[in-house]
Every structure is written in structure tokens, then in C-alpha cells.
Amino acid sequence: MQGTVDGFSYGAVTPVVAYLMACLGGALGLRCTTRSLLVTHSWRPAWLALGSAAIGSGIWTMHFVAMMGFAIKETPIHYDKPITYASLALAVVMVGVGIFIVGYRGATGTALFTGGTITGLGVASMHYLGMAGVHFHGRFTYNTFTVAASVAIAVVAATAALWAAGRVRGFLWSVGASLVMGLAVSGMHYTGMAALGVHLDGTPHTAGGAPEPSVLAPMLIGPLAFLLLAGVVVIFDPLMITGRPVRRPVEHKPGVPATAVASHTQRRPALHEEHRPEHHLSRAPQNR
């Protein structure tokens, strides 16, 4: 028996909120990725890891906020929590692999293509693994062509976002990139949902409908709290706004004051320039 799917049980509320969640995660993640390119090598992994978790959490939150409006009219639906949380972990790990590739190899050429492809596949894998955690009296079927289109959207969007993170330094440009990324992630989600078909097992005995917000809300608390904390880190870091590189700290050598090291470093070119004419004059008597 064919089931009737309603993806907008709450009207435009769930798509709009889901889009905002995707934009928030994308904005935080892209700024963290950009920030990693402006700091010393030792701090780069921390910023890249924070960016990976922000993007993964934002995409995952977007997916399940949108799923609050998903309903099968003939049967109730339930969520398998282990699979649902596994989809979050998968999103963070695969997005992290892509971001680390771009963070260390640069947002050009093979590194950008590889990082964008892995990140996009992570977004798509999160979506379809999350759908595998939806249980009801029946099964899902998918249109192969539409699924391929959703994966392509995810890969292209992720590649464009990583390119923007590596090339764009202005805060407003990064916000624009996050808006585009949010739109692409939402487009990937609803394209994947358009590929969905529902087949019920026998005649339904109970009425269906969208899950109560209390079903998914507890699972969303953790990722939402993390996004808020990441937002605080971004807001209180002025370099996230200015985009200026961090000055490398003066190397402290044992037994040598830092001021002496700094002055020696600054005076080195001048001494080198003064040394050349003295060397020339010292040879002048020999040429006579």
C-alpha cells in the first residue's frame, strides 16, 4: 500500500527555521575555517575541529528541524536514537576530513575538489542515514536519479563553501557564503525528500501524523547548545570580524631577553646594509 507523505505539516515554519539552522552552522564553520588560516600552525587544528563540529551540528540540526514537519498520514513514525546520533557523528567526521584537507592543503585544485567532495558526501550520508532511523509500519523507496541530484547539490555546495572559506576574508562576504550554503543544504534535504516513496505493510490501524515536537526536541538540545557556544567564541574573537592575520610571537630563547631578540631581528637588515659599504671600503686600500 502506498503511503501519503506530508513534508510541511507545520507550514513554512519548519523550512524557515531549518534554513536558519543551516546558515548558522555554515557561518560559524566557515569563519572558524577562515580563522584557522590566520593563526599559527599550533592553533590550526583546534579551529578546524571547531569549524567541523559547527558545520556538522548545523546540518544535522537543520535536517531534524525539517523532519518535525514530516508526516505519513496513514501511520505514526518513530526515531531510532542510536542511528540518529550516528548520523550526527558521521556528519561531523566527514565534514572534518574535508575541512582539514582544505585547511592544510589550501582551497585550490585537487585539495579543494577532494575536500569539497568528502564534505558533500558527508552531508548526503548524514541525510540518508538519518532517514534510515525513521521507523514506521512500512519502508522507504528512493528514486535513483533524484538521489543522485541531491548528492550532486551537496558536493557542489560544499566545494563552493570551502572555496569561500579559503579565499574570502571579509566578514560580510563570509555571511553571504553561509547564506548560499544554507540554501544549498536545505535544497539538498528537500531534493532528497522528493526522491522518497512510502510503502506501507498492510492496512493501517492507527492514524498517522507529524511527530510531536517533544520527540525530536530533546535530541536537538545538545547540538543547539554547541552552536550557541561556538557563536560566543566567534563573537568574542575580534579577528573573526577583522580577518587580520595574527602576528607571530617573538621566539623566546634560553638566556636571551625577548626584547633583545626582537631588536636583533629588526636591526638585522639594517646591519646587513651597513656592512656592505664597510666591506667595500676595507678593500679600497688593497686596490690601490
Side-chain angles (χ1 to χ4, degrees), residues 14-245:
T14 49
V16 171
V17 176
Y19 171 71
L20 293 177
M21 290 298 101
C23 291
L24 175 61
L28 295 176
L30 293 179
R31 290 308 295 171
C32 289
T33 305
T34 301
R35 181 70 166 84
S36 71
L37 303 176
L38 304 175
V39 298
T40 56
H41 189 78
S42 60
W43 281 97
R44 185 171 297 178
W47 283 108
L48 292 175
L50 182 61
S52 305
I55 293 178
S57 298
I59 294 170
W60 188 86
T61 304
M62 173 269 154
H63 172 81
F64 284 100
V65 167
M67 289 302 292
M68 285 184 176
F70 175 77
I72 301 174
K73 294 185 177 180
E74 293 83 4
T75 180
I77 59 177
H78 308 280
Y79 289 89
D80 184 288
K81 289 186 178 180
I83 295 179
T84 299
Y85 288 125
S87 67
L88 171 60
L90 179 64
V92 173
V93 170
M94 292 194 68
V95 169
V97 172
I99 285 181
F100 268 78
I101 290 175
V102 171
Y104 280 95
R105 298 295 182 181
T108 56
T110 304
L112 177 62
F113 176 78
T114 304
T117 300
I118 294 175
T119 302
L121 291 177
V123 174
S125 299
M126 181 281 305
H127 172 85
Y128 290 106
L129 181 58
M131 293 303 297
V134 180
H135 291 173
F136 61 99
H137 298 292
R139 67 186 187 279
F140 289 135
T141 59
Y142 292 94
N143 180 278
T144 304
F145 177 80
T146 311
V147 168
S150 69
V151 174
I153 292 173
V155 170
V156 171
T159 303
L162 291 179
W163 175 87
R167 295 298 186 89
V168 176
R169 289 292 182 267
F171 179 73
L172 294 180
W173 281 100
S174 294
V175 171
S178 67
L179 294 177
V180 174
M181 183 177 182
L183 182 62
V185 170
S186 299
M188 177 270 153
H189 172 84
Y190 287 106
T191 301
M193 297 304 291
L196 191 67
V198 174
H199 291 274
L200 301 177
D201 295 334
T203 304
H205 299 284
T206 57
E212 294 293 331
S214 59
V215 175
L216 288 174
M219 293 189 288
L220 296 174
I221 292 176
L224 283 174
F226 173 79
L227 289 175
L228 291 177
L229 290 176
V232 171
V233 173
V234 170
I235 291 173
F236 285 96
D237 184 358
L239 291 178
M240 300 293 286
I241 307 299
T242 61
R244 296 176 182 176

